[in-house]
Structures are given as C-alpha cells and as structure tokens.
Amino acid sequence: TFVTPKISNIIIKHGEIFSFWKLVGNPTEKKGYKEGLTLYFDEIRSGIGGGMCQMTNLLHRLVLHSDLKIIEYHHHNRFDLFPDFKRVIPFWTGTAIMYNYFDYRVQNISKDNIYQIILYTTDKYLCGELRCQKNIQYSYHIRGENEYFSREDGVVYRNWEVYKETIDKKTGNLLKKESIVVNHAKECYSTENLNIRE
C-alpha cells in the first residue's frame, strides 16, 4: 500500500524512462515498510521491504505486452521459490530488485504514443493496467517452450525458454519471435512428484 500510490497514474511520454526506485525511494522501517522475503544474491532471507518484487513482477508482465523498451531488468532466474499450484504470477515474470543496486526501468520509444501505469490493491490482490493514448497495430504473446526439470549433482533445476511474439493485428501474421529469458533455476520446494530428467 505504500508503493502503489507512488507508481500508479504515472505517465510515460516519448523518450521518457520509468524507474521503479526513482519513484519509490528507499524502503525503510521508518517509512512503515515491513519485513518480507528477500533474495540477497544466493541467500534467501527476510528484510525490510521484502516482497516488493511482486510489484515489479506485475509491471514486467504488463510491459511485455507492449512496445515499451526494457532497459534494466534483473531476473529471479537462480531460484524457483514456489510450486505452480495456486501460483498467480507466472514463474518467468520474476524480477529482482534491490534499492540502489537492481532497478526496473523501461523507456517509451514509440514516436507518438503515451503510456500510463495504473496499479491498485484489493483485499486479496494486486491489480494493474497499462494504458496507451492510441491503439497500437501489434499484439504481443508470451510463450514458454521446452520446459523440463533436471537433476544436476543431486540438485533439481527448472529449465524453460520464454519467447515474445509480435503479431500484426490486421493480418494475424507472426512478425517477430524473440527470446526473453532462458531459465535454469534451483527448485526450493518439494520435488517429490516432479518428472525429472536424470
């Protein structure tokens, strides 16, 4: 609730850069932030402002379905913390943020369109919209391919290639398919019922 008002209703004009930390600032206990789960390099622990990556996870998912250019992004690609059962945010949208170290930044590179970010919370959910002033001629689809689990030196990893497809709205033709991320993440939950490649 502290973060949402600082980045909601933000307008991103041509050439402008959206920076998560520039708008939010340092999340300190004095400002009312609580402890939550954090990934500190290779260590899972708690810290003030932990869990704020849920906000950038949502932002990233919205941005991927637009022509905004991602200029800084750090992926949670080393750990898969939660099983897919009841998972709300897809694994591949994970973003790592750390004040003054890892930011999430995007730039509006369109020539004549303006974007607006809308974020709000309900009793249960964090919700978001990405609005634009003019209709865009493309649609975007995010697809995962070649997903499998592997066991390496006794450790189970999740592997998954993720692609962004650009579709011409008028013709339905696929114009571009680009790799977004290749996941190779250590599983941090029970792997008892997984089909694992040995």
Side-chain angles (χ1 to χ4, degrees):
T1 56
F2 297 105
V3 180
T4 306
K6 295 182 179 181
I7 57 177
S8 188
N9 298 309
I10 294 297
I11 300 292
I12 311 173
K13 298 179 181 178
H14 168 69
E16 290 184 339
I17 294 174
F18 168 92
S19 164
F20 181 81
W21 286 126
K22 184 177 180 180
L23 293 170
V24 172
N26 189 5
T28 63
E29 188 174 12
K30 187 176 181 179
K31 294 179 181 178
Y33 289 92
K34 306 294 185 183
E35 282 203 10
L37 182 68
T38 66
L39 285 176
Y40 186 77
F41 296 100
D42 286 346
E43 184 181 350
I44 301 171
R45 61 187 190 183
S46 64
I48 299 299
M52 289 175 61
C53 59
Q54 296 297 321
M55 190 78 67
T56 49
N57 288 352
L58 175 58
L59 286 171
H60 186 54
R61 185 160 170 78
L62 294 172
V63 167
L64 285 174
H65 290 83
S66 75
D67 59 356
L68 290 170
K69 181 180 180 180
I70 299 166
I71 59 175
E72 184 176 355
Y73 162 66
H74 306 275
H75 180 44
H76 275 322
N77 63 342
R78 297 181 65 88
F79 300 98
D80 185 15
L81 300 177
F82 308 107
D84 283 342
F85 178 69
K86 292 189 176 181
R87 187 197 294 266
V88 177
I89 300 295
F91 168 61
W92 48 262
T93 60
T95 57
I97 53 171
M98 182 186 298
Y99 183 71
N100 264 359
Y101 291 97
F102 301 151
D103 199 359
Y104 182 73
R105 297 187 299 145
V106 299
Q107 184 176 27
N108 183 356
I109 59 172
S110 66
K111 294 181 179 179
D112 60 354
N113 216 344
I114 298 174
Y115 283 88
Q116 182 182 34
I117 294 170
I118 305 290
L119 294 176
Y120 57 96
T121 56
T122 68
D123 290 341
K124 292 184 178 180
Y125 300 108
L126 170 64
C127 308
E129 302 173 26
L130 181 63
R131 300 177 180 179
C132 57
Q133 186 181 38
K134 299 179 180 180
N135 288 330
I136 54 178
Q137 63 187 41
Y138 308 119
S139 63
Y140 303 94
H141 301 281
I142 312 301
R143 303 194 187 281
E145 298 180 6
N146 303 319
E147 182 179 16
Y148 64 95
F149 295 92
S150 61
R151 193 186 310 275
E152 303 169 28
D153 296 324
V155 178
V156 176
Y157 292 88
R158 184 176 190 170
N159 305 274
W160 196 0
E161 300 170 19
V162 183
Y163 296 89
K164 179 176 180 177
E165 297 177 348
T166 302
I167 311 293
D168 186 301
K169 285 184 177 179
K170 289 184 179 179
T171 65
N173 292 334
L174 174 64
L175 302 179
K176 184 167 61 173
K177 180 178 180 180
E178 56 188 314
S179 175
I180 296 175
V181 67
V182 177
N183 289 306
H184 183 68
K186 179 182 177 181
E187 295 306 307
C188 297
Y189 50 85
S190 174
T191 59
E192 184 178 351
N193 297 317
L194 298 179
N195 184 14
I196 303 171
R197 293 185 186 178
E198 301 291 345

